[in-house]
């Protein structure tokens, strides 16, 4: 889908006529979403700029993500989408920036872009240049990443509360083991999912953090001072978000270690129960084996209380190990 916006960013319109000779002069932003070959050819013919493919935008080398050619900057960074779903993903996004126009290339619907478009369409804004549109988009992307990080922090706090602040009225040791194990498995999956999402956000922040100073340096000749200041502010915001992302990574690792530790404790409790059962069952088996040999010289064979005596010995041999374990505090 090909959408163009004029300098006021208030008249976004889809381009249906791909045979036009040129774009209107007032167009400053060309937004390509899942473009087909016809739309790419139209943009390249009318602007004289190369539209990078998805494979080009997916390259991870710094020289591929930040480059200049024929007076145009070719920039790319991975951005997350479906951040609130169970399967958040990352998609490459490209920017082609010149003094006259900005071209964005993306292959998924992104909340940051939609929020920026809705905000600019609703506001009676001043005319925007290509550099101003670019900075506004970068701010919207940073705001979106900050919102996602805040949501992850809230979710991790809830999971931390479930793990470490169990109410005294329902101590973990009294909960059914099957339910406790199921809860721990759910927490482990959720924490692992948030860890994956945080790592994807880290990639996005790294890309934006490189783009901002590169644009400020490469476009120093024609960028207005106000745009340069906003780029510097963006760089600082991204740095602070990167620090916060690092904090969340550490918290995710703590919760993963704690969850795995509690799972190990649950498994050890199961082994402990099996061990106690085995130990408790050995003495009664020994007693029953002794009195099951039926030797003629056994004095208890002719004793009228021999059978109750044997049962009492079996019961006592089972109770004594239990009392010993209880005294030692092993259960």
């Amino acid at each position: 889908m090909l959408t163009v916006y004029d300098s006021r960013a208030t008249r976004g319109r889809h381009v249906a006529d791909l045979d036009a000779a040129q774009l209107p002069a007032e167009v400053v932003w060309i937004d390509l979403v899942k473009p087909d070959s016809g739309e790419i050819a139209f943009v390249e013919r009318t602007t004289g700029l190369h539209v990078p493919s998805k494979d080009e935008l997916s390259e991870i080398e710094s020289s591929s993500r930040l480059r200049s050619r024929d007076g145009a900057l070719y920039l790319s960074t991975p951005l997350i989408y479906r951040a609130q779903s169970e399967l958040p993903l990352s998609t490459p996004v490209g920017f082609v920036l010149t003094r006259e126009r900005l071209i964005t290339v993306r292959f998924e619907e992104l909340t940051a872009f939609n929020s920026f478009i809705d905000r600019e369409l609703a506001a009676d804004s001043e005319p925007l240049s290509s550099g101003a549109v670019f900075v506004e988009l970068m701010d919207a992307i940073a705001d979106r990443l900050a919102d996602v990080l805040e949501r992850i922090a809230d979710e991790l706090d809830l999971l931390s509360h479930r793990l470490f602040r169990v109410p005294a009225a329902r101590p973990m040791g009294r909960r059914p083991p099957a339910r406790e194990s199921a809860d721990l498995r759910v927490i482990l999956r959720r924490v692992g999912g948030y860890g994956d999402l945080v790592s994807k956000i880290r990639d996005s922040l790294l890309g934006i953090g490189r783009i901002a100073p590169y644009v400020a340096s490469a476009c120093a000749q024609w960028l207005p001072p106000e745009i340069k200041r906003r780029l510097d502010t963006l760089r600082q915001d991204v740095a602070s978000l990167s620090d916060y992302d690092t904090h969340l990574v550490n918290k995710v690792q703590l919760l993963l270690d704690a969850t795995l530790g509690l799972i190990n404790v649950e498994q050890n409790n199961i082994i402990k129960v099996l061990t106690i059962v085995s130990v408790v069952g050995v003495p009664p088996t020994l007693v029953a084996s002794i009195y099951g040999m039926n030797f003629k010289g056994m004095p208890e064979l002719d004793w009228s209380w021999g059978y109750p005596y044997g049962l009492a010995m079996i019961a006592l041999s089972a109770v004594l190990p239990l009392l010993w374990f209880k005294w030692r505090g092993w259960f």
Side-chain angles (χ1 to χ4, degrees):
M1 183 174 61
L2 171 59
T3 309
V4 297
Y5 297 85
D6 61 24
S7 59
R8 297 187 67 86
T10 57
R11 289 189 293 275
R13 57 186 183 275
H14 302 301
V15 176
D17 183 13
L18 299 181
D19 295 326
Q22 59 184 6
L23 287 170
E26 65 272 13
V27 170
V28 297
W29 178 26
I30 303 171
D31 187 27
L32 290 165
V33 183
K34 299 179 181 178
D36 56 33
S37 57
E39 292 171 338
I40 293 174
F42 171 76
V43 172
E44 290 183 339
R45 176 171 54 82
T46 55
T47 63
L49 299 171
H50 171 64
V51 177
S53 65
K54 188 174 183 178
D55 290 338
E56 292 175 316
L57 297 177
S58 300
E59 295 182 1
I60 63 175
E61 306 96 304
S62 179
S63 59
S64 298
R65 291 187 173 182
L66 307 172
R67 54 194 176 92
S68 176
R69 187 173 70 182
D70 298 330
L73 299 185
Y74 291 84
L75 316 167
S76 66
T77 184
L79 295 180
I80 59 169
Y81 66 101
R82 299 179 184 173
Q84 296 183 348
S85 68
E86 294 183 357
L87 185 62
L89 299 173
S90 181
T91 180
V93 178
F95 303 87
V96 182
L97 179 62
T98 67
R99 183 194 296 262
E100 295 80 16
R101 290 191 176 96
L102 168 68
I103 301 174
T104 55
V105 186
R106 51 196 174 105
F107 304 92
E108 299 292 340
E109 290 290 343
L110 299 175
T111 303
F113 279 71
N114 296 334
S115 299
F116 166 72
I117 293 171
D118 293 341
R119 183 176 70 248
E120 292 301 324
L121 290 177
D124 186 15
S125 60
E126 296 294 328
L128 298 176
S129 63
S130 60
V133 173
F134 174 78
V135 173
E136 292 282 355
L137 272 175
M138 289 290 105
D139 283 340
I141 292 171
D143 290 342
R144 172 59 179 167
L145 295 177
D147 292 340
V148 177
L149 287 175
E150 291 171 0
R151 182 179 65 84
I152 294 174
D154 292 339
E155 293 293 333
L156 291 179
D157 284 341
L158 292 176
L159 295 177
S160 177
H161 180 81
R162 290 178 60 182
L163 279 173
F164 301 121
R165 298 178 179 85
V166 181
R170 296 183 61 187
M172 185 176 297
R174 297 181 182 177
R175 300 183 66 189
R179 181 178 176 184
E180 183 64 32
S181 298
D183 288 347
L184 290 174
R185 287 196 297 270
V186 170
I187 292 174
L188 183 62
R189 291 191 186 98
R190 291 180 63 183
V191 173
Y194 289 132
D196 179 62
L197 180 55
V198 167
S199 68
K200 287 181 170 62
I201 294 176
R202 182 76 172 181
D203 291 339
S204 299
L205 292 172
L206 181 62
I208 299 173
R210 290 174 176 173
I211 285 175
Y214 181 79
V215 172
S217 175
C219 302
Q221 298 295 329
W222 53 270
L223 278 180
E226 174 63 24
I227 301 300
K228 294 179 180 179
R229 287 193 293 269
R230 293 191 61 181
L231 284 172
D232 186 61
T233 301
L234 174 65
R235 181 183 59 79
Q236 296 175 8
D237 290 343
V238 170
S240 65
L241 291 177
S242 296
D243 292 339
Y244 192 71
D245 184 271
T246 301
H247 162 69
L248 291 183
V249 168
N250 294 333
K251 190 166 188 177
V252 165
Q253 188 61 51
L254 170 65
L255 293 178
L256 285 175
D257 292 341
T259 305
L260 291 174
L262 290 175
I263 290 176
N264 288 333
V265 169
E266 289 298 316
Q267 293 176 342
N268 290 337
N269 287 336
I270 294 174
I271 298 300
K272 181 176 68 175
V273 171
L274 295 177
T275 302
I276 291 175
V277 170
S278 300
V279 172
V280 169
V282 169
T285 303
L286 177 62
V287 174
S289 299
I290 292 174
Y291 288 103
M293 290 186 292
N294 296 322
F295 287 113
K296 182 177 180 180
M298 293 182 68
E300 292 85 357
L301 291 177
D302 297 327
W303 185 25
S304 60
W305 291 93
Y307 180 69
Y309 170 77
L311 292 180
M313 290 293 295
I314 291 175
L316 185 62
S317 65
V319 170
L320 288 178
L322 289 175
L323 295 177
W324 168 259
F325 289 141
K326 184 68 174 179
W327 179 70
R328 297 289 295 180
W330 292 347
F331 71 93

